[in-house]
Amino acid sequence: MLEDKIYAALKNIVGPENISRDPAILETYAYQWCNEVDNTLKGREPSRFGQRPEAVVLPGSAEEVQAIVRLCNEHDIKFKALSTGQGAWAGVTVPRAIQIDLRRMNRILEINVQNRYAVIEPYVTNAQLQAELVKHGLIHNAQGGGPQTSPLASHTSFVGPSFTSSHTGFSGRNLLGAEWVLPTGDIVRVGSFNYSGEWFSGDGPAFSLRGVFRGGYGAYGGLGVFTQCAIRLFSLPIPKDWKWEIKGTVPDYEWNLPPYWKMFVLNFADWDTFTEAFYEVNDQDMSMMAMASSAEGLATMFTNTREAALEAIFAGLLVKTQRYFVVMVTAHTEREFDYRTKFLQAILKKYGGQDLIEEGVVTAQPMHYAEGLRNSLGNHAFRFTSCFQSTHGGLDTIAMSVKIGIVNQPIKQKYIEKHVIGDDRGEGIWITGYEGGHMAHLEVPTVYDPSSPESCRGYAYYQDECNKADISNALGIPFFIVGDAFHDSYGPNVMDYPRWLRKIKAAFDPKGVSDPGHYVSSKPREGST
């Protein structure tokens, strides 16, 4: 238990109303989505409860965060920062640790329309930011975690694909600077803001601190606390005087569609023609959204309830769907819209494809455009069992993403036949392209029953086998390789990179107080290199 004098010191920093060690409150922080998988892979029971923090504190400023971190250094207490929180990676992982809940820091500090960037605090949500951006005809990369999650967390500390990534890119590439409370308690302002007060570049002179603190996937809270950041914004094609009209409630709501917006579902006979067509659409920057899934995924995207999705699947969607990707065209003018739609028609003709919307196989209602724009389509997958998780997730070429899907199918099918994960014939994938098709991301969403220990274990063992397949087939590093044991299993195959992560950890966190459980500790595990 946290000593009374330390608890009192924390209370003096944030005020008595912004701290608690009530066991009932602390348990809510220990209860996280996917803890059951994390626990299973670590040889524990598949429980949704992880490590309970010894206290939770809610700072209201970077200075209060700094004071908390310095106190942790003084008394050898570990800490883990949390913004909106989603998944096991949000919680503490070790005893004698406190949770720093950043929900009081929820302001949009600046929207710079001319230079297309926004400055935000940790508890700003995608929905909150997007509601302000659309007033200016702008959009940000709202990660696939959904409208309720934190874009600061995605841009500074976590993975960042979204349903609009073909237009808005990858969160880690859109970071234009950050205010960073180091594990020592020092405050660093990364990028041009530190020199000029303007957020136009994420790096200053010398080596890239962005590369140090986040790299491709982020440090999952293992390298201090980010208290604000600037992110790149993108054009959203809507008329300047456009008025949004929304009627009804979720899941059945109506939304007035802006002019020059249209969805297509481009369906091809095999992976080869799919890959070539996907390359061309991404290369020409033709869409707000270009992403692929399975027939089951298509059913969840273009329906509003579980019953409707199942009805669509068994009404012939499985037979009529082959290798497809969804495209959402948006344009500023009629001429631009005509050009883009004619380009897609030419792609269909060139590669022998069909538009499943034109064929009447699926119907895109106005709300489905809204769900895509809000990056809420992924949440539709929760309708089947209230839970899913993804394997793989490497960042590489489109061709490599397709290869991951092909390698995964027989592995997934094996666990489907054991009746421990949802049956999507092993075809359930999600692919999106970035930056003109130069990069792509594939993950394999998989539904399981979180109330069934057998299903939780089955999914965890499936994930472990996928991780091993990524090594043996040289498919890249999955995005949920976190913690010493997992990094050490990959290190010998990838230039011993954990050695460099540990050098970074030791340099920036000499006392090891920033919870290392989903990053790395500064010292190698026994038996590792």
Side-chain angles (χ1 to χ4, degrees):
M1 180 178 290
L2 203 64
E3 295 90 332
D4 289 343
K5 67 175 183 179
I6 298 174
Y7 187 82
L10 290 168
K11 185 186 294 186
N12 286 336
I13 295 171
V14 298
E17 69 279 12
N18 296 312
I19 185 171
S20 179
R21 54 181 173 185
D22 183 323
I25 290 176
L26 299 183
E27 284 286 72
T28 67
Y29 288 88
Y31 185 86
Q32 293 283 356
W33 169 58
C34 289
N35 261 335
E36 64 274 14
V37 177
D38 200 42
N39 282 327
T40 300
L41 291 173
K42 292 175 180 175
R44 300 190 288 254
E45 287 298 307
S47 168
R48 279 241 163 139
F49 286 95
Q51 179 70 42
R52 191 170 79 179
E54 300 215 353
V56 57
V57 290
L58 282 71
S61 67
E63 290 71 27
E64 288 187 359
V65 172
Q66 180 182 46
I68 293 166
V69 170
R70 285 178 170 170
L71 189 70
C72 288
N73 275 271
E74 182 182 349
H75 296 283
D76 193 25
I77 300 165
K78 288 184 170 51
F79 66 86
K80 181 68 173 285
L82 170 148
S83 54
T84 51
Q86 187 180 41
W89 320 278
V92 305
T93 66
V94 292
R96 195 169 172 76
I98 64 170
Q99 189 93 61
I100 301 176
D101 186 336
L102 301 168
R103 70 181 60 220
R104 292 175 61 207
M105 302 175 69
N106 60 359
R107 297 175 299 163
I108 300 171
L109 300 173
E110 180 184 0
I111 295 175
N112 190 310
V113 176
Q114 181 177 358
N115 294 312
R116 290 193 179 180
Y117 68 77
V119 184
I120 55 175
E121 290 186 326
Y123 207 76
V124 171
T125 65
N126 286 315
Q128 177 187 352
L129 179 59
Q130 195 172 68
E132 298 303 318
L133 293 180
V134 295
K135 298 174 184 177
H136 305 286
L138 295 171
I139 189 175
H140 71 292
N141 187 63
Q143 70 278 7
Q148 78 287 356
T149 56
S150 164
L152 178 141
S154 171
H155 283 75
T156 63
S157 307
F158 205 63
V159 293
S162 76
F163 284 87
T164 62
S165 279
S166 61
H167 178 62
T168 58
F170 179 77
S171 292
R173 303 272 277 186
N174 293 335
L175 181 65
L176 296 176
E179 183 178 71
W180 178 19
V181 180
L182 300 181
T184 57
D186 298 312
I187 295 179
V188 173
R189 292 177 177 88
V190 178
S192 58
F193 181 76
N194 190 49
Y195 301 93
S196 67
E198 297 289 336
W199 299 89
F200 59 84
S201 174
D203 289 315
F207 61 89
S208 170
L209 280 176
R210 281 190 301 177
V212 167
F213 69 66
R214 73 145 296 129
Y217 297 131
Y220 292 76
L223 276 179
V225 185
F226 296 94
T227 50
Q228 61 177 281
C229 76
I231 63 174
R232 183 184 174 196
L233 306 178
F234 301 83
S235 170
L236 177 66
I238 54 174
K240 289 184 178 180
D241 58 351
W242 185 252
K243 302 295 183 184
W244 301 98
E245 297 177 3
I246 302 173
K247 300 177 182 178
T249 57
V250 174
D252 290 304
Y253 63 90
E254 297 178 11
W255 187 70
N256 59 325
L257 201 61
Y260 313 130
W261 287 30
K262 186 176 181 180
M263 272 196 182
F264 301 79
V265 179
L266 309 186
N267 190 45
F268 301 94
D270 51 43
W271 278 121
D272 289 339
T273 50
F274 166 93
T275 302
E276 293 299 323
F278 199 60
Y279 262 119
E280 290 205 35
V281 171
N282 278 274
D283 179 59
Q284 296 299 317
D285 193 19
M286 281 290 150
S287 61
M288 174 68 67
M289 179 168 69
M291 55 89 182
S293 186
S294 63
E296 291 83 357
L298 189 63
T300 62
M301 279 187 275
F302 289 107
T303 56
N304 301 341
T305 65
R306 178 171 62 180
E307 290 73 19
L310 291 171
E311 183 179 338
I313 290 169
F314 292 113
L317 195 61
L318 293 181
V319 176
K320 298 172 183 176
T321 303
Q322 295 163 298
R323 304 298 175 192
Y324 76 88
F325 58 96
V326 177
V327 176
M328 186 166 81
V329 166
T330 59
H332 291 90
T333 66
E334 183 177 3
R335 182 179 179 183
E336 181 185 14
F337 179 76
D338 287 344
Y339 171 73
R340 293 188 171 200
T341 54
K342 287 177 181 177
F343 173 84
L344 293 179
Q345 290 163 0
I347 289 292
L348 287 174
K349 183 177 180 180
K350 181 177 181 179
Y351 295 107
Q354 312 89 33
D355 177 9
L356 295 183
I357 293 179
E358 186 72 23
E359 298 283 327
V361 177
V362 292
T363 302
Q365 301 292 343
M367 68 155 287
H368 299 131
Y369 290 77
E371 296 285 272
L373 188 66
R374 296 172 62 235
N375 279 277
S376 194
L377 286 174
N379 292 341
H380 290 200
F382 284 99
R383 292 174 180 160
F384 285 102
T385 66
S386 78
C387 192
F388 81 94
Q389 173 58 308
S390 288
T391 56
H392 304 290
L395 277 171
D396 209 290
T397 63
I398 291 172
M400 176 64 85
S401 292
V402 169
K403 182 179 178 181
I404 293 171
I406 293 171
V407 169
N408 175 80
Q409 195 281 331
I411 301 173
K412 193 174 192 181
Q413 184 62 36
K414 180 170 67 174
Y415 288 88
I416 290 170
E417 291 172 2
K418 293 180 180 180
H419 305 291
V420 291
I421 59 175
D423 185 358
D424 59 10
R425 302 162 295 121
E427 300 284 350
I429 59 169
W430 186 69
I431 305 176
T432 186
Y434 306 122
E435 300 180 5
H438 292 111
M439 295 193 300
H441 164 93
L442 178 140
E443 59 185 89
V444 181
T446 302
V447 296
Y448 63 95
D449 182 356
S451 66
S452 164
E454 182 183 11
S455 182
C456 292
R457 291 189 184 97
Y459 173 79
Y461 300 151
Y462 159 65
Q463 178 175 300
D464 187 54
E465 189 166 342
C466 289
N467 292 343
K468 292 173 181 175
D470 286 336
I471 293 176
S472 60
N473 292 278
L475 300 177
I477 301 175
F479 55 18
F480 291 124
I481 294 300
V482 294
D484 285 316
F486 286 119
H487 282 301
D488 286 340
S489 70
Y490 270 76
N493 302 278
V494 194
M495 299 181 292
D496 195 23
Y497 74 87
R499 181 163 63 97
W500 295 100
L501 290 183
R502 291 192 171 101
K503 287 178 180 289
I504 292 170
K505 178 69 170 174
F508 286 87
D509 187 8
K511 291 192 174 182
V513 293
S514 192
D515 190 329
H518 293 114
Y519 184 49
V520 291
S521 57
S522 58
K523 296 181 180 180
R525 293 184 311 123
E526 185 177 346
S528 66
T529 57

